[in-house]
Amino acid sequence: MTNAAVAVQHQSVKADDSFLTIRKLTKKFGDVAAVDAVSLNIRKGEIFAMLGASGCGKSTLLRMLAGFEIPSSGAIVLEGQDITSLPPYERPINMMFQSYALFPHLTVEQNIAFGLERDGMPKGDITTRVTEMLELTQLKQFAKRKPHQLSGGQQQRVALARSLAKRPKLLLLDEPLGALDKKLREQTQIELVNIIDKVGVTCVMVTHDQEEAMTMASRIAVMKSGGFLQVGPPREIYETPATKYVADFIGNVNLFKGTLSVDEPDHVVIQTPECQHFVSHGITGTLGMDVHVALRPEKISLQKKAPTPQERESAREDGFNCVQGIVKNVSYLGSYTTYHVKLSTGTTLKVMNTNDARHDDHRLDWDDSVYAWWDGSDVVVLTQ
Amino acid sequence: MQRSRFGLGWMTVVFLFLYLPIFTLVVFSFNDSKLATQWGGFTLKWYAEILNDREVREALWLSLKIAFLTATASVVLGTLAAFAMVRYTKFKGRTLFSGMVNAPLVMPEVIIGLSLLLMLVSVQRAFGVPERGVLTIWLGHSLLGMAYAAVVVQSRLLELDKSLEEAAMDLGCRPHEVFRLVTLPMIAPSLLSAWLLTFTISLDDVVLSAFLSGPGSTTLPIVIFSRARLGMSPTINAIAAIMIFIVAAGVIFGSLWLARAEKRRAEEQAAAYREALPSP
Amino acid sequence: MSSVSLPTPQPAQSASRRSWLDALGARTVIGIPFLWLALLFLVPFLIVVKISISESDGIHFKEMFVFTDGHLQWNVKWGNYAFLASDALYIRTYLSSIYYAGVTTIICLLIGYPFAYFMARSPATWRPALLMMVMLPFWTSLLLRVYAWKGLLASNGVINDLLLAIGVISEPLKMMNTSFSLLIGMVYAYLPFMILPLYANLVKLDLRLLEAAADLGAKPLTAFWKVTIPLSKAGIVAGAMLVFIPCVGEFVIPELLGGPSTLMIGRVLWDEFFSNNDWAMASAVAVVMVLLIIIPLAIFNKSQTENAAREKGRI
């Protein structure tokens, strides 16, 4: 009896934990697998982003969740119910389309009420729900307008209101801000997250914009050729990328190819043609194996004089994590400046420094000879 | 400047060429002369004559009936065909299908008329029906009309944003509801223009009607054609003037209405964006 | 307990029903027009082929397959075709039909291309009005518009009267019932069919391509030949086929404007059928006519399909 109770409790916890389960989901178009045996658990209330270049399969995956594409194999389970072959109109899932797909012949109100009417909700309840949605998205004054009488940002909010009106268990966002210009996008990202949080709906979004994914999502999946390369919170994806592709795809990175020359439990040393990289943590690898060293440009310090031992304290030993080169390009970008430093090996090192003062006395210029150095804890070793 | 002046001249000459016959038709419908091509003063007597011309009146009524039925059938069938071509890119016999949809657009009417008639005769010999008459003319006209309607509806379907239909399904519409609530309102203008186009095509057709009509089912174009073969007749001019007036009025008003709607839409759109800008 | 949701997947019952409904929908959407076209377009044509090789006396046909004395007898008569091939008048008529259709197509292209080009380059605010003005004659009765030319071209017609009045000519020109009047009528009737696809094509032409050509040193005329014309090829093909194919078998225009001396195959077919009551011969004439236009028909069908595909790809 107790065992059974424990089992049930355990299962309920597990069910709660994984609100949406995707198991070995595959979609083939002819011989090409657009989505290739993808498995995933999504927690309730989470905003999950699938990030990738165009053609990586993220849209196909989203369309399978919505029910527009029928999977070749695999299963989608939402709150314990297998919905793999349920048609879109029977799924408790709603989608906000990239083009918004607002019905041009209906007013804002009618657009929002559209899904509710399909469910046969009583008229009074529909009015209440529509009003609630209009208030939530601050669209009250536009209720009687047609979509073409709205600006891009307003249309986006109507699309959101419409997809939330049916109180779906799962909200899908397809490039939610892709149609807006940059300035509006930043502001809308925050608004969108606030509304989703307020409603408390679980959300899966697809985007090619890493900034959008990192601002909005609690977890990100980086996709390539139909599969997930890495799944994790934004910080984890950025600071500890699992593969070369992820390191390169998210943000800027300097990659060095080298071999593992010292392998200790608390530190390792990677020998690359440019320099010796001291890494202040252990890795799983064997001595002599080929690895890549990834280094974010903003983690590198740049100066004309050789760094003093005090400055380089954390690098511990002289000669490690320090290279000399010549500045070949300076791009002043307002809040920060990027430098391209050419090393003696011919490699170009990207460095990014924040402009934290209005006047910089030690400003670097083209053809300056410089030292670039970095901390041993900022180095990421990639084995694949 | 030189080039645009040449272009303007070219367009003017072509338009003159296109409109000269129509213009003379109308002018000579008011011509008070036995000789249809000699100006003999203004009169309305030919219009009065149409009213008394029983043959013309009956033929016109028949033609209008057939045109109405044809347009309706053509739009329904043409819409189905357009859907089949746009939405189902792969099915057995699609090449044959698209060939059969496109061919009546260009196929010489004498061939369509002859083959349809021979088929109907075979059917009639076997089953005793159908008699040649309204039904057979309607079949022929609808075959032709369907091809035109399919072209019109197809081009509208192609420019339709597919995510609108997906959104409808996502919000709980079953396939037939998607069609009724979203697709149909979206393509309605093209259905209307397809209906009007096939209506006029049916109203104008001589060759198919001649093959497919039986005794007592003489359409207006057949009457006009048999009279025109004999020479010029001022009554035909009067009929022509009336038909031209109706069509021109319809097309001009339709175009103006569309242009107005388009303009208003653009203005509203611009206003929405202006309004959304943060005020300084 | 009610809050506990077991993660046992529930079988989706509607899955099979959905595919069944979907298939039914697809079958209706494709099936109805398919059946319609097969019954009214394909089958009739096969009947025409059959009749053209059947033994007949006038309008009654012998069965093609007769079972007599235990032998299957196949009654096929190639006589109609033999006659068509041996009779110089038929051959001349076919050739002359193709000639008139070809000349009409070329004239329509020469008039229509610059027209469509200037229309596409005119200010955007004019275009709907210009388009409407091209469409308007297209919507009014072709029969009546062709009939109007009779009055214009007759020896006591409007044009002759005008020319006589201003003294350009001293006696009426013979224009009616010549190849001139036939060609005027056909060009007039089919010009909109040339202009509309050309305009639809040219108006979509990206003007930046011409700017790029100019930037790379192409003079306007060179840019026109090297950029505009090749890019509007689809429109030219569609327009040419829309004019050429129906012109080959045109009946109404030669009947009203051509007079007895201009040979057109559509009229021959009509006469075989209505005057001579020789259905088999009319069928043979029709079959050969289809053979003559089958390649243009295939080109037309291909260009229509490609246009649709392009349209689809644009979105």
Side-chain angles (χ1 to χ4, degrees):
Chain A
M1 183 61 212
T2 33
N3 270 352
V6 168
V8 167
Q9 205 177 4
H10 182 70
Q11 271 186 337
S12 95
V13 167
K14 208 175 134 203
D16 227 10
D17 189 28
S18 175
F19 180 70
L20 173 74
T21 306
I22 297 171
R23 267 199 303 265
K24 290 196 172 161
L25 204 62
T26 300
K27 176 69 188 179
K28 284 189 173 163
F29 293 110
D31 292 337
V32 188
V35 172
D36 197 1
V38 164
S39 295
L40 178 69
N41 288 317
I42 288 175
R43 289 186 294 271
K44 190 163 188 163
E46 171 166 45
I47 301 183
F48 189 89
M50 296 189 285
L51 180 63
S54 63
C56 69
K58 58 187 194 300
S59 296
T60 310
L61 186 48
L62 195 75
R63 289 172 60 80
M64 283 195 280
L65 289 178
F68 301 135
E69 306 281 354
I70 298 166
S72 310
S73 64
I76 304 168
V77 178
L78 180 67
E79 248 191 347
Q81 190 198 3
D82 186 339
I83 58 163
T84 315
S85 47
L86 222 54
Y89 44 85
E90 286 176 9
R91 295 188 183 203
I93 295 176
N94 285 122
M95 173 149 159
M96 195 178 109
F97 289 78
Q98 183 178 10
S99 62
Y100 308 143
L102 299 176
F103 303 126
H105 56 299
L106 303 180
T107 62
V108 169
E109 260 178 344
Q110 289 167 329
N111 262 286
I112 298 174
F114 189 89
L116 304 171
E117 282 162 5
R118 300 286 77 64
D119 283 358
M121 194 189 240
K123 273 235 161 68
D125 295 0
I126 292 182
T127 318
T128 319
R129 183 76 66 84
V130 168
T131 314
E132 187 189 317
M133 286 298 138
L134 288 170
E135 269 164 9
L136 183 69
T137 50
Q138 297 168 356
L139 283 166
K140 235 174 158 186
Q141 47 182 324
F142 305 113
K144 304 282 180 212
R145 289 205 189 174
K146 293 272 182 74
H148 73 269
Q149 294 165 316
L150 301 174
S151 73
Q154 291 157 357
Q155 287 179 21
Q156 190 261 355
R157 267 144 56 201
V158 180
L160 179 67
R162 189 179 70 178
S163 56
L164 286 175
K166 291 182 79 173
R167 301 216 172 118
K169 289 183 179 169
L170 183 65
L171 176 69
L172 305 176
L173 306 174
D174 185 5
E175 304 273 359
L177 307 163
L180 299 179
D181 52 46
K182 199 173 184 311
K183 199 99 190 179
L184 194 56
R185 200 151 53 199
E186 283 169 14
Q187 178 199 337
T188 316
Q189 276 166 4
I190 313 285
E191 276 178 22
L192 190 56
V193 174
N194 285 342
I195 291 175
I196 292 170
D197 276 349
K198 210 185 224 169
V199 178
V201 66
T202 312
C203 184
V204 174
M205 65 185 268
V206 143
T207 180
H208 68 276
D209 181 344
Q210 43 172 302
E211 210 174 296
E212 192 170 301
M214 294 178 105
T215 322
M216 294 179 61
S218 49
R219 276 199 303 157
I220 295 174
V222 180
M223 278 190 85
K224 194 197 172 196
S225 17
F228 288 159
L229 291 180
Q230 189 175 0
V231 181
R235 173 176 279 275
E236 189 182 305
I237 300 262
Y238 185 79
E239 300 293 359
T240 43
T243 70
K244 234 174 85 187
Y245 181 85
V246 174
D248 200 27
F249 186 73
I250 309 286
N252 272 311
V253 76
N254 293 294
L255 285 167
F256 305 95
K257 198 173 177 222
T259 49
L260 189 56
S261 60
V262 176
D263 185 14
E264 297 291 333
D266 65 334
H267 76 272
V268 294
V269 173
I270 315 284
Q271 180 68 50
T272 72
E274 291 80 13
C275 75
Q276 297 211 65
H277 297 266
F278 178 86
V279 186
S280 57
H281 54 83
I283 65 160
T284 44
T286 51
L287 216 56
M289 79 185 287
D290 285 337
V291 293
H292 277 91
V293 170
L295 193 55
R296 296 288 182 195
E298 72 276 10
K299 307 280 199 289
I300 300 172
S301 305
L302 213 56
Q303 60 198 59
K304 285 183 192 161
K305 277 184 277 179
T308 60
Q310 285 92 333
E311 279 177 313
R312 294 175 34 77
E313 194 182 2
S314 52
R316 286 198 199 165
E317 283 174 65
D318 219 22
F320 288 103
N321 298 1
C322 185
V323 289
Q324 251 187 299
I326 293 161
V327 175
K328 281 295 175 194
N329 190 314
V330 181
S331 314
Y332 175 77
L333 294 165
S335 54
Y336 59 90
T337 304
T338 63
Y339 303 91
H340 285 188
V341 179
K342 189 151 190 187
L343 308 182
S344 56
T345 52
T347 322
T348 302
L349 191 69
K350 282 171 281 183
V351 181
M352 192 186 284
N353 281 351
T354 317
N355 297 322
D356 42 14
R358 278 184 69 199
H359 304 287
D360 186 359
D361 297 333
H362 306 288
R363 211 171 65 189
L364 297 170
D365 216 335
W366 291 61
D367 292 329
D368 280 348
S369 184
V370 291
Y371 289 89
W373 59 276
W374 53 89
D375 200 290
S377 62
D378 289 333
V379 181
V380 178
V381 183
L382 301 168
T383 52
Q384 46 177 316
Chain B
M1 190 63 218
Q2 193 108 49
R3 225 175 46 150
S4 76
R5 198 172 281 176
F6 175 70
L8 219 57
W10 190 274
M11 293 210 283
T12 313
V13 171
V14 173
F15 274 130
L16 277 178
F17 174 63
L18 286 178
Y19 281 89
L20 181 69
I22 297 174
F23 180 71
T24 51
L25 263 187
V26 176
V27 168
F28 278 92
S29 71
F30 299 110
N31 183 17
D32 190 8
S33 159
K34 276 260 153 56
L35 279 170
T37 56
Q38 303 286 311
W39 185 253
F42 180 86
T43 181
L44 288 172
K45 70 176 174 195
W46 308 117
Y47 290 87
E49 203 159 285
I50 304 176
L51 292 176
N52 299 322
D53 193 330
R54 205 165 142 237
E55 193 190 14
V56 167
R57 267 200 342 253
E58 280 173 2
L60 175 67
W61 179 233
L62 183 73
S63 280
L64 288 174
K65 267 196 294 196
I66 292 174
F68 180 85
L69 294 172
T70 297
T72 309
S74 300
V75 168
V76 173
L77 289 163
T79 306
L80 285 175
F83 256 87
M85 307 255 282
V86 175
R87 289 296 147 79
Y88 303 99
T89 45
K90 280 175 201 145
F91 59 87
K92 253 189 189 167
R94 188 174 190 277
T95 318
L96 175 69
F97 184 75
S98 76
M100 288 197 301
V101 174
N102 288 327
L105 290 177
V106 288
M107 188 63 101
E109 279 187 63
V110 281
I111 297 180
I112 301 180
L114 175 75
S115 52
L116 258 178
L117 175 65
L118 293 181
M119 192 230 14
L120 291 169
V121 168
S122 312
V123 172
Q124 202 191 351
R125 278 181 188 164
F127 302 103
V129 282
E131 285 288 321
R132 266 187 269 168
V134 176
L135 175 67
T136 51
I137 299 175
W138 171 76
L139 281 174
H141 285 189
S142 302
L143 174 66
L144 195 62
M146 171 197 182
Y148 279 90
V151 169
V152 174
V153 178
Q154 194 184 356
S155 68
R156 176 70 188 128
L157 274 180
L158 282 170
E159 63 184 31
L160 197 67
D161 183 359
K162 208 165 177 257
S163 59
L164 284 174
E165 291 176 340
E166 288 178 347
M169 223 188 279
D170 185 66
L171 292 166
C173 282
R174 303 186 150 270
H176 65 274
E177 289 175 315
V178 174
F179 182 77
R180 186 165 55 86
L181 294 168
V182 175
T183 319
L184 203 58
M186 296 284 93
I187 62 170
S190 74
L191 296 187
L192 181 64
S193 53
W195 195 91
L196 290 172
L197 179 66
T198 47
F199 186 88
T200 57
I201 286 172
S202 166
L203 202 58
D204 184 34
D205 177 79
V206 191
V207 177
L208 287 184
S209 309
F211 274 102
L212 300 170
S213 68
S217 60
T218 311
T219 63
L220 185 63
I222 296 181
V223 174
I224 295 174
F225 183 64
S226 55
R227 291 191 189 178
R229 266 166 137 177
L230 301 174
M232 300 301 289
S233 140
T235 1
I236 301 184
N237 284 53
I239 298 171
I242 293 171
M243 287 174 72
I244 287 165
F245 177 75
I246 293 171
V247 169
V251 172
I252 289 171
F253 277 117
S255 307
L256 285 180
W257 184 77
L258 268 181
R260 247 255 213 74
E262 189 62 36
K263 199 175 159 205
R264 198 178 52 218
R265 203 187 142 81
E267 280 170 3
E268 285 174 350
Q269 213 156 14
Y273 276 87
R274 258 200 316 278
E275 182 189 328
L277 286 178
S279 37
Chain C
M1 271 304 274
S2 64
S3 67
V4 175
S5 57
L6 294 167
T8 346
Q10 293 154 10
Q13 291 154 338
S14 64
S16 60
R17 191 184 42 174
R18 179 200 183 195
S19 53
W20 177 78
L21 260 177
D22 264 11
L24 185 75
R27 241 170 250 168
T28 325
V29 168
I30 300 169
I32 292 178
F34 207 127
L35 202 68
W36 172 268
L37 286 165
L39 285 181
L40 294 182
F41 191 73
L42 197 62
V43 171
F45 188 70
L46 296 177
I47 291 176
V48 168
V49 174
K50 182 194 151 210
I51 286 176
S52 73
I53 51 172
S54 296
E55 300 254 13
S56 72
D57 46 353
I59 57 171
H60 291 278
F61 299 93
K62 285 188 188 162
E63 279 305 309
M64 215 179 216
F65 300 98
V66 184
F67 206 65
T68 44
D69 310 330
H71 295 283
L72 186 70
Q73 209 186 330
W74 191 29
N75 291 321
V76 176
K77 194 184 89 175
W78 299 105
N80 292 321
Y81 292 99
F83 189 64
L84 277 183
S86 62
D87 190 305
L89 190 64
Y90 280 111
I91 296 173
R92 264 195 16 236
T93 312
Y94 277 117
L95 290 178
S96 124
S97 299
I98 289 175
Y99 167 78
Y100 284 125
V103 173
T104 304
T105 309
I106 290 167
I107 298 175
C108 280
L109 186 61
L110 291 178
I111 299 175
Y113 196 99
F115 185 88
Y117 180 85
F118 294 128
M119 210 166 119
R121 294 284 163 281
S122 61
T125 44
W126 290 18
R127 278 181 225 153
L130 291 173
L131 194 62
M132 187 206 75
M133 280 170 73
V134 177
M135 290 293 279
L136 193 57
F138 180 78
W139 283 76
T140 47
S141 165
L142 171 73
L143 175 62
L144 291 171
R145 285 180 295 130
V146 171
Y147 159 81
W149 278 103
K150 265 180 105 109
L152 283 166
L153 297 172
S155 36
N156 58 352
V158 177
I159 292 175
N160 268 321
D161 285 356
L162 201 70
L163 292 177
L164 282 170
I166 57 173
V168 180
I169 51 172
S170 52
E171 53 185 274
L173 292 171
K174 163 107 176 119
M175 292 185 286
M176 261 307 287
N177 298 340
T178 62
S179 46
F180 174 74
S181 60
L182 174 64
L183 283 173
I184 283 255
M186 298 227 289
V187 168
Y188 175 76
Y190 285 96
L191 189 56
F193 287 92
M194 181 64 89
I195 290 174
L196 292 175
L198 279 175
Y199 170 75
N201 185 295
L202 286 168
V203 82
K204 279 187 218 135
L205 186 87
D206 187 350
L207 285 177
R208 284 170 302 184
L209 292 176
L210 294 179
E211 286 170 1
D215 184 59
L216 294 167
K219 293 208 170 69
L221 207 62
T222 320
F224 179 76
W225 281 112
K226 298 268 179 195
V227 179
T228 310
I229 294 263
L231 283 175
S232 55
K233 216 184 108 201
I236 296 176
V237 171
M241 293 304 122
L242 273 171
V243 175
F244 179 81
I245 305 171
C247 273
V248 171
E250 180 57 48
F251 167 75
V252 173
I253 301 169
E255 183 68 19
L256 288 181
L257 300 176
S261 61
T262 54
L263 298 172
M264 287 294 277
I265 198 65
R267 290 173 77 190
V268 171
L269 189 152
W270 183 282
D271 290 340
E272 291 292 355
F273 186 85
F274 286 103
S275 313
N276 303 345
N277 260 329
D278 190 344
W279 293 13
M281 196 63 208
S283 299
V285 169
V287 171
V288 174
M289 204 197 300
V290 170
L291 290 179
L292 284 180
I293 57 176
I294 198 107
I295 292 171
L297 264 177
I299 296 172
F300 174 70
N301 187 38
K302 195 166 154 258
S303 84
Q304 288 288 99
T305 321
E306 277 170 5
N307 274 338
R310 226 192 325 273
E311 200 74 7
K312 206 170 191 174
R314 223 160 43 84
I315 285 146

